[in-house]
Amino acid sequence: MKVSWAQLYNDIGECEKCRLCETRTNVVVGEGDPHARLMFIGEGPGQEEDRQGRPFVGRSGELLTRMIQAIGMERTEVYICNVVKCRPPKNRNPEPDEAAACLNYLRGQVALVRPKVVVLLGKVACQYTLNEQVFITRDHGVWRERKGVWFMPTFHPSALLRDPAKKRDAWEDFKKIRDKLKELSEA
Ligand code: URA
């Protein structure tokens, strides 16, 4: 059964399904257009996201915002969320059981937004969303279609901040995203 946004916010707000609830300040559900054509999925909230209760508001968020603008869109036009809704301590990767506990919330978000294109930011987002082992350096920019939705693995913005040489490849991926949205709106 399809859940409502109100139910989803309520369930996530009260969630104690895994240990991450013990250390969170705020849950970070997601934000943006609830009917966006383009959705971004990251890994999990960092320190600033945990403090504000909003996704991608730290340094990697600033870069993500600029990349969205570079393909002619605004943050408010897309939907942004993460695999896990609570911050893993010290920004470690989510453990498989934590991601598994949170996965139904992500499924609910995808079902409600019904995006045409989903951008998976980094290996962790790919691993849990596609249920597939992805190597970003090898597999970035390659479309995967699942039930009529187009998924694009690309670099996590924090990887681009660590290694700016990767930005050129990331920009190629973003141009493919822009072109796919155009193609789908013309179809
Ligand atoms: N990194 C993520 O994966 N998600 C955020 O929301 C912020 C940083």
Side-chain angles (χ1 to χ4, degrees):
M1 203 189 70
K2 194 162 144 181
V3 73
S4 67
W5 279 115
Q7 184 71 55
L8 197 69
Y9 269 84
N10 194 55
D11 291 351
I12 299 175
E14 293 177 349
C15 186
E16 294 183 352
K17 284 197 213 162
C18 83
R19 63 188 80 75
L20 297 182
C21 70
E22 293 161 18
T23 46
R24 73 180 175 221
T25 311
N26 287 294
V27 297
V28 180
V29 180
E31 70 178 22
D33 181 347
H35 303 295
R37 300 172 70 236
L38 177 59
M39 179 165 179
F40 290 85
I41 302 177
E43 188 175 309
Q47 187 174 28
E48 193 54 29
E49 290 77 18
D50 174 65
R51 200 178 68 77
Q52 293 190 35
R54 296 177 56 208
F56 283 99
V57 287
R59 274 189 74 219
S60 54
E62 282 168 25
L63 178 56
L64 178 63
T65 304
R66 288 203 301 277
M67 291 166 82
I68 293 168
Q69 289 168 342
I71 55 163
M73 299 183 80
E74 292 298 331
R75 251 181 96 109
T76 48
E77 289 179 82
V78 306
Y79 189 81
I80 306 175
C81 64
N82 285 298
V83 170
V84 292
K85 314 305 185 204
C86 300
R87 181 188 182 207
K90 301 190 182 133
N91 296 348
R92 63 162 170 75
N93 286 352
E95 298 289 347
D97 66 318
E98 295 161 355
C102 228
L103 209 55
N104 258 344
Y105 299 138
L106 183 63
R107 290 206 182 99
Q109 287 171 300
V110 175
L112 285 164
V113 175
R114 300 182 65 227
K116 301 275 185 236
V117 172
V118 178
V119 181
L120 301 169
L121 299 167
K123 187 182 175 73
V124 170
C126 294
Q127 184 181 334
Y128 294 112
T129 308
L130 298 171
N131 197 17
E132 182 186 326
Q133 187 72 19
V134 163
F135 298 95
I136 293 295
T137 12
R138 185 190 69 190
D139 301 322
H140 75 91
V142 181
W143 290 109
R144 280 147 173 79
E145 195 245 3
R146 301 276 165 94
K147 296 185 190 160
V149 183
W150 292 89
F151 291 84
M152 160 79 73
T154 191
F155 301 89
H156 192 285
S158 64
L160 302 176
L161 290 171
R162 276 196 304 273
D163 181 3
K166 293 192 170 107
K167 282 186 183 172
R168 186 198 292 251
D169 282 344
W171 174 232
E172 293 303 318
D173 295 350
F174 270 67
K175 283 195 284 190
K176 288 186 191 171
I177 295 160
R178 179 189 64 193
D179 293 349
K180 177 65 84 182
L181 286 167
K182 187 162 181 283
E183 177 193 317
L184 293 172
S185 67
E186 285 165 355

